[in-house]
Amino acid sequence: MRAPPPLLLPPLLALVLSLAACDATPGVTDRAFSASGEMIAMSGGPGGAGAACFTCHGLDGQGDRDATPRLAGLDQGYLQKQMEDYAGGRRPDDVMTRIARGLDQDSRRAVAAWYAGLPADDKARPAPAASPPPIWITGDAGRGITACSACHGAAGQGAGEGQPAVAGQPAAYTLEQIDRWKSGRRRNDPRGVMAAAVQGLTDEEARAIARWLSGLPASPGPASASASASASVAAAARPAASRETRRPDRSDGA
């Protein structure tokens, strides 16, 4: 019986593992593991291998397509804000708070920049629903629900600086975030815009939004980008009564 072929590792990951085996001076090792955003993602920086981002988010930042979100291709400012909010306790999480607090601000900035620079991969996504849930486009003034598209665009691709893309994320992750906003376990949205926006959603509406978003491409094409912009303009033009919880000038809540 032939022996199995040797396990081939990406060059940087192989370097990380070899450095981890070295008996280096404290401080020197930390600097080596924090030399770049990619190194931090692969090594965990000063937090060590147990804090390595790739163990949950994958070598290419695509997540697990189940419950762990994609980081690749998201806005750098949004990613860095989330890291700062994890570290500062504004977005508490058993795993991410510990990891973010193990990095200094420069390291959090570097790893955010690295993930933002990775391509968003749209392969193997579930087929999207034929059309978005009505609540996504129109909201419901009677229940104080603002149209989701006002901040996140008609196709979930975001609508300008600080209005994050939410398309192409696992349905389970999106549902969990909606639940955290509703319960107050997540509270890092400026002016409470996300907490207010989801309070009136039914469980069925939340599931429909999450399922629809999970089937959308992570990277917008020219047509969907234009549609997102049009939806935002239309939402802003509706009577004030339908926009009670309308987005502020800047919102980082996804």
Side-chain angles (χ1 to χ4, degrees), residues 200-216:
L201 287 179
T202 66
D203 290 345
E204 182 180 354
E205 286 169 335
R207 285 193 296 270
I209 289 171
R211 185 169 56 249
W212 176 69
L213 287 173
S214 71
L216 295 178

Side-chain angles (χ1 to χ4, degrees), residues 173-183 198 201 206 209:
Y173 169 76
T174 300
L175 269 176
E176 181 184 8
Q177 298 313 302
I178 291 174
D179 181 65
R180 289 189 179 201
W181 288 121
K182 290 180 79 169
S183 67
V198 302
L201 287 179
I209 289 171

